[in-house]
Amino acid sequence: MGKKIVFNISSDFQLKALLGEGAYGIVCSAIHKPTGELVAIKKIEPFSKPLFSLRTLREIKILKQFRHENIISIFDIQKPSSFEEFNEVYIIQELMQTDLHKVICTQTLSDDHIQYFTYQILRALKTLHGSNIIHRDLKPSNLLINSNCDLKVCDFGLARIDGSDSRVNTDELNMNMTEYVATRWYRAPEVMLTASQYSKSIDIWSCGCILAELFLKRPLFPGKDYRHQLLLMFEVLGTPRGETLLKIPSKRAREYIGSLPQYNPIDWMEILPKNVNPMGIDLLARMLCFDADKRISATDALKHPYLANYHDPNDEPDGHPISSDFFEFDYFKDRLSTKDLKKLLWNEIFN
């Protein structure tokens, strides 16, 4: 490994290579010496900002909850030796070779590949949404891929329980935006326009943006800033009018839309390459509806003719509803000190 990275982990693991670095974590591949198995170890230093601790808590709680072929599996969490020395969290996960962002940048994908990747994202979403979980941060770099083209959703640090207080914590989203500008590119219009309640359909919007990117080989709505992001959406879908506009609860947001240039919707055929499967375009149009209530659900999307080669109603788990207090710390997160968060994480690791 090029630069010196310190991992305080069990001697059962031998580090191999640096796989990636994010705002608050580093991922390395490692070999588990007793079994010879290759794994990924995510090192997180969560105690510099409360938001990092909260994201780590959510990530661990959700990953412990699921055993699903399209959701990244957690093998273990390194147990810290003492509370005093507990400054880092080490999550040991299955190793995946790459992510969808890198695949789109480097490979030419057949329509069959695109169907298979889309099917797997939706198969994960069916289970997550059936469990009342909204991912909130789906984008190509959060979709891990291995050499068999198996896809697994990762990074649940921004996830929420549907029906709990799902108002956007603007600090959290803005922090995310400054670190990864690309996150905004996959964000549903209702999240951008209002901080009120939103639903599982925001993940369907993100999935639609990803499907379009698979067709285009580039992001569909790569906004340079907030205003540009909305304009790119309106140029394609048309500026919301009438009933669609009135559904936006914020008067300020409605007035803002009125102040922008007005666009009529354009046909998807004009934007996408000529050889795109028409069934794929139909599914895309059902995902990228400005009105969240009109977006297709993950369950219905799996039944869409575009995914007929992969759809198997007996092998698409529903998930089990998780109660709204699963992330009970979110109700009083503004009052939690770093030490409180450290205790919560300690308890989660040892449970």
Side-chain angles (χ1 to χ4, degrees):
M1 292 169 61
K3 65 186 219 183
K4 181 79 174 142
I5 293 170
V6 178
F7 267 53
N8 297 308
I9 48 164
S10 152
S11 57
D12 282 351
F13 294 97
Q14 182 185 345
L15 294 185
K16 302 290 281 182
L18 176 67
L19 299 178
E21 286 183 78
Y24 70 122
I26 297 172
V27 184
C28 287
S29 60
I31 192 158
H32 182 238
K33 292 190 277 196
T35 60
E37 187 168 9
L38 278 168
V39 297
I41 303 181
K42 188 172 179 177
K43 173 189 179 178
I44 303 167
E45 297 183 54
F47 303 122
S48 59
K49 285 187 186 172
L51 287 177
F52 292 164
S53 302
L54 287 164
R55 287 174 68 166
T56 307
L57 258 173
R58 286 190 206 108
E59 170 103 345
I60 291 172
K61 279 184 80 83
I62 286 182
L63 291 179
K64 280 165 68 175
Q65 188 77 19
F66 289 100
R67 284 284 170 268
H68 186 290
E69 284 120 333
N70 303 121
I71 297 171
I72 195 74
S73 286
I74 189 167
F75 293 147
D76 200 6
I77 302 169
Q78 175 88 29
K79 306 272 189 293
S81 53
S82 71
F83 190 76
E84 292 64 42
E85 290 173 33
F86 176 37
N87 299 311
E88 303 143 350
V89 174
Y90 293 93
I91 301 175
I92 298 149
Q93 296 178 326
E94 59 186 315
L95 180 68
M96 301 291 280
Q97 274 81 18
T98 187
D99 64 55
L100 192 58
H101 172 69
K102 294 190 184 105
V103 168
I104 292 169
C105 291
T106 59
Q107 317 224 353
T108 302
L109 297 173
S110 67
D111 189 50
D112 187 56
H113 280 115
I114 296 173
Q115 289 172 32
Y116 188 44
F117 289 146
T118 306
Y119 172 76
Q120 292 179 88
I121 300 167
L122 288 163
R123 189 172 177 271
L125 285 181
K126 182 185 177 190
T127 300
L128 290 168
H129 290 174
S131 307
N132 286 342
I133 288 173
I134 310 174
H135 185 284
R136 297 205 320 161
D137 196 23
L138 280 182
K139 54 188 174 188
S141 59
N142 282 344
L143 301 170
L144 302 179
I145 311 274
N146 69 15
S147 50
N148 296 331
C149 294
D150 298 324
L151 176 149
K152 295 177 193 266
V153 177
C154 72
D155 200 343
F156 287 86
L158 285 180
R160 287 293 181 281
I161 305 299
D162 191 26
S164 66
D165 181 11
S166 56
R167 283 173 306 197
V168 183
N169 176 335
T170 46
D171 287 348
E172 198 159 355
L173 285 176
N174 289 339
M175 180 193 79
N176 220 33
M177 273 192 191
T178 50
E179 284 159 14
Y180 319 103
V181 174
T183 297
R184 194 195 312 113
W185 300 350
Y186 306 91
R187 188 163 296 152
E190 62 270 27
V191 179
M192 300 196 57
L193 287 165
T194 170
S196 67
Q197 298 283 20
Y198 52 81
S199 67
K200 299 162 186 165
S201 57
I202 69 167
D203 288 341
I204 298 295
W205 174 276
S206 304
C207 188
C209 293
I210 293 163
L211 176 55
E213 189 164 334
L214 287 163
F215 290 143
L216 287 163
K217 304 185 180 63
R218 60 172 174 77
L220 176 64
F221 300 131
K224 293 199 264 298
D225 53 43
Y226 176 90
R227 181 177 186 273
H228 186 228
Q229 183 71 35
L230 288 171
L231 286 175
L232 290 178
M233 292 176 185
F234 298 161
E235 280 173 21
V236 173
L237 301 174
T239 305
R241 298 179 174 92
E243 182 194 348
T244 308
L245 184 63
L246 289 173
K247 270 192 171 180
I248 297 167
S250 157
K251 181 168 180 268
R252 203 165 132 228
R254 293 197 301 270
E255 287 170 353
Y256 182 68
I257 290 170
S259 75
L260 295 171
Q262 302 291 295
Y263 295 97
N264 291 318
I266 52 178
D267 194 317
W268 283 108
M269 303 286 236
E270 292 179 33
I271 303 164
L272 299 170
K274 297 285 176 275
N275 61 343
V276 169
N277 183 326
M279 280 294 146
I281 298 176
D282 184 77
L283 178 57
L284 177 65
R286 289 166 193 264
M287 289 178 172
L288 291 181
C289 295
F290 187 90
D291 183 344
D293 295 334
K294 293 186 176 159
R295 268 174 232 150
I296 195 167
S297 68
T299 302
D300 288 341
L302 287 166
K303 299 172 189 165
H304 190 278
Y306 184 58
L307 305 176
N309 288 344
Y310 296 102
H311 174 48
D312 176 357
N314 300 315
D315 190 32
E316 291 159 6
D318 283 324
H320 303 286
I322 288 171
S323 75
S324 57
D325 58 3
F326 183 70
F327 290 153
E328 59 187 342
F329 49 82
D330 268 337
Y331 294 120
F332 45 85
K333 60 187 172 196
D334 299 334
R335 302 196 298 277
L336 293 172
S337 68
T338 302
K339 189 162 187 191
D340 295 333
L341 288 162
K342 196 169 170 177
K343 279 183 189 153
L344 284 170
L345 266 168
W346 174 273
N347 292 339
E348 197 58 51
I349 289 169
F350 281 93
N351 268 348

